[in-house]
Structure formats: C-alpha cells, structure tokens
Amino acid sequence: MIKSMTGYGGAKRESGKIEISVELKSVNNRYLDCTIKLPRMFISFEDALKSAVQRHISRGKVDVFITIDSSKAADIEIVVNRPLVAAYLTALDEMADEFNMAGGIEAYELARFPDVLRAEKREADTDALLSDVGRTLEEALVGFNAMRTREGEKLKNDITARLAEIERLTAMAEECSPRSVAEYRNKLETRMQEVLENTEIDEARILTEAAVFADRVAINEELVRLKSHIAQLREMLESEEPVGRKMDFLVQEFNREANTIGSKGNDAEMARIIVNLKSEIEKIREQAQNIE
C-alpha cells in the first residue's frame, strides 16, 4: 500500500487526572529522522517512543510533540515527621514536670511546631505513565497513517495515469524507429541517383549504408528495458512494503533509457516523442519523492 511521507495525526488521553496529548507531523526526507519533544522530566521515555514510531514509519522527517499535564493530579501528600513529634512530646512532658506546669497539648497546636508536617510530591508510577503515553502515541499513529494512506492513493493514481502515457509514447517510438530507417534508405538512394545520374546505382552499397544506419539508431534494447521498467513500477505501486527509495532508483533508469533513445533519434517526430516522454518521467520523479 503506497503511503505519502507527509501527514498529521493526534490523540489525547486521561490517565487518572493526568492529561496526555500527542501530535505528529512529517515531511519528505530521504531517510527516517524522528524527533520526540516531551517534558524534560520524562526524557527517559524517548527511546521507547522512538521505537514505536519506527514500527509504523520507515522514511520521512517526523516530529512528535507530547505534553503531559499533571497539574490536576492528586500527587501531593502531607507527611508527619513522627520522630520529631515524639521528641517534642517528650520535651513538653519534661518541661511540665520540672516547672510544675499543666501537661497535655492538642494535635493542631503541635502541628504548628516547625517541621512537624511537610508536603511531599508523590512519586509517579513511571511504568504506568509510559504505557499510557505509548497507547496515546499508537492512537495518533493510526490517524497519521490513515492520512498518509489517503494521500498515497492519490499519488498512486497520478503515477498510474502517467505510466499509461509513457507506455503510449513508447509504442509510438517503437513504430517510428523502422520508419526512420526506411526514410533514410530512400533519401540515400535519391541522393546517389542525383550524384551518379545515369550511372547504375550499387544496390549493395545502399543496403550496407542502410544497415549501418539502422544499427546506429536501433532502439530495440532501450524499448525492451523501458517496458520492463514500466512493469516493475506497476508492481511497486501494488506493494505492501515501503517502495519510495526503490522507485527513486527505477525512475533514474527510466531517464537513462529515454536519454539514450533521444540520442539515437534523427527526426522531428522522434524528438517530439522523447520530449513528452521525459516530461512524464520527470512528473513521476517528483511524485516518487513524496512516497515512503
């Protein structure tokens, strides 16, 4: 299935009172270049999240933005400094006995003593949080890939149409080539008649010259290879694997054959065919650069 390298996806999830948001966007790139942007305190999640991205994407520059909002989470607890409370109570009892003072103290009064109570941030369960972030990323990737698949279908349709045009132009070049040899033979014979006038023309010489010319302008091998490339590209368009880089290479081979055919062409009709052929190949090359 053809996929575009450009796409966007996003997903949100609540885990307890922690809000997780993931956004992905990608543009064309020769290889996979993935950047994960998330809060500094969760930087240890980066490698695991990159691995998740690599399971879905093989090519492109991908930016992943992750926000983790724990401002509403009940992660603060009040801790009693028990050793200190015991020490305060012992000291108070000793003071009451020594100075004949009334004993006893209320808890709220003791709580006002320095360092009896302290607020602590409860340590997060990082494994559970990483799992939730991973699930949110997977949801975002599903939407991201759906968008890339839709774009890929458009690219496939455009390339398929251009392949049909290349196939038509190839058939025209194949038909034009023998005609150019016959025209050359006729022109050669006419020129020799004009030069030699009434002298008998050496038919063997004409045949030899025509054969040399035919060998020089023969494009059969190039046409066979071009047809093979067309068939290969059609197979790639139906592949379930990423084929963008293979397609880049194959389109270079299309250009190579077109250039060779153009260099062998010797008439205006062939030149026109090659110009149109190279134009269609260039449009396919531009589209192939968008394919994963």
Side-chain angles (χ1 to χ4, degrees):
M1 183 179 298
I2 296 296
K3 291 179 183 174
S4 169
M5 273 193 284
T6 59
Y8 173 85
K12 292 184 178 181
R13 173 186 294 266
E14 285 193 9
S15 176
K17 291 193 176 181
I18 296 177
E19 295 180 354
I20 301 167
S21 175
V22 175
E23 289 184 284
L24 299 96
K25 66 176 183 178
S26 68
V27 293
N28 297 353
N29 200 56
R30 187 166 185 176
Y31 304 101
L32 176 60
D33 178 9
C34 178
T35 302
I36 306 284
K37 299 180 181 179
L38 71 169
R40 183 178 295 276
M41 64 184 299
F42 300 111
I43 201 70
S44 60
F45 293 180
E46 185 173 352
D47 288 343
L49 298 175
K50 275 190 176 181
S51 296
V53 171
Q54 289 168 354
R55 288 194 295 271
H56 290 266
I57 306 168
S58 64
R59 193 171 179 228
K61 187 179 187 313
V62 185
D63 289 313
V64 183
F65 303 92
I66 299 175
T67 58
I68 302 172
D69 184 1
S70 60
S71 60
K72 297 179 183 178
D75 56 354
I76 301 297
E77 62 178 344
I78 303 300
V79 178
V80 178
N81 190 337
R82 287 177 170 76
L84 184 60
V85 169
Y88 274 135
L89 289 174
T90 299
L92 289 171
D93 287 342
E94 290 175 355
M95 186 173 65
D97 289 342
E98 185 175 348
F99 297 103
N100 296 318
M101 298 173 63
I105 186 171
E106 297 291 337
Y108 74 89
E109 293 176 315
L110 186 59
R112 298 171 63 184
F113 284 32
D115 300 324
V116 168
L117 300 177
R118 67 176 183 272
E120 289 187 352
K121 191 173 181 66
R122 190 179 293 115
E123 189 172 339
D125 184 347
T126 54
D127 289 341
L129 183 57
L130 175 57
S131 177
D132 288 333
V133 172
R135 285 199 292 270
T136 311
L137 176 59
E138 290 289 338
E139 290 177 17
L141 283 165
V142 169
F144 175 78
N145 279 331
M147 179 178 179
R148 294 198 305 140
T149 300
R150 289 193 298 270
E151 292 298 317
E153 190 65 24
K154 294 177 184 177
L155 293 172
K156 175 183 174 181
N157 292 339
D158 183 72
I159 292 174
T160 299
R162 298 195 183 284
L163 275 178
E165 178 62 11
I166 287 174
E167 201 164 37
R168 187 183 73 83
L169 292 168
T170 301
M172 289 175 63
E174 189 171 24
E175 181 182 346
C176 183
S177 183
R179 189 166 65 238
S180 67
V181 175
E183 289 173 355
Y184 174 79
R185 185 186 186 286
N186 291 335
K187 288 179 181 178
L188 181 62
E189 188 172 1
T190 301
R191 284 199 301 271
M192 291 184 71
Q193 285 176 344
E194 291 173 353
V195 171
L196 299 176
E197 294 183 350
N198 296 326
T199 306
E200 185 176 350
I201 298 173
D202 186 352
E203 184 66 24
R205 178 66 182 276
I206 292 177
L207 290 174
T208 300
E209 290 289 337
V212 170
F213 177 78
D215 184 63
R216 181 161 57 85
V217 300
I219 58 173
N220 292 340
E221 292 182 8
E222 289 77 11
L223 292 173
V224 168
R225 286 195 292 267
L226 197 51
K227 290 176 183 178
S228 175
H229 297 338
I230 293 170
Q232 287 181 61
L233 189 49
R234 285 201 171 112
E235 287 178 9
M236 287 182 184
L237 291 173
E238 300 301 326
S239 175
E240 295 296 322
E241 301 297 324
V243 293
R245 292 180 66 188
K246 290 181 181 179
M247 201 174 288
D248 281 342
F249 174 76
L250 187 59
V251 171
Q252 291 177 32
E253 296 302 306
F254 270 81
N255 261 319
R256 193 190 312 278
E257 305 305 338
N259 286 334
T260 304
I261 294 171
S263 68
K264 290 183 175 182
N266 71 322
D267 61 8
E269 177 64 16
M270 182 65 83
R272 186 184 66 80
I273 291 171
I274 296 305
V275 167
N276 291 333
L277 182 63
K278 293 180 72 172
S279 175
E280 294 301 321
I281 292 171
E282 176 62 20
K283 289 170 185 174
I284 289 180
R285 186 190 68 81
E286 291 173 356
Q287 296 292 46
Q289 290 179 342
N290 297 316
I291 293 174
E292 181 182 23

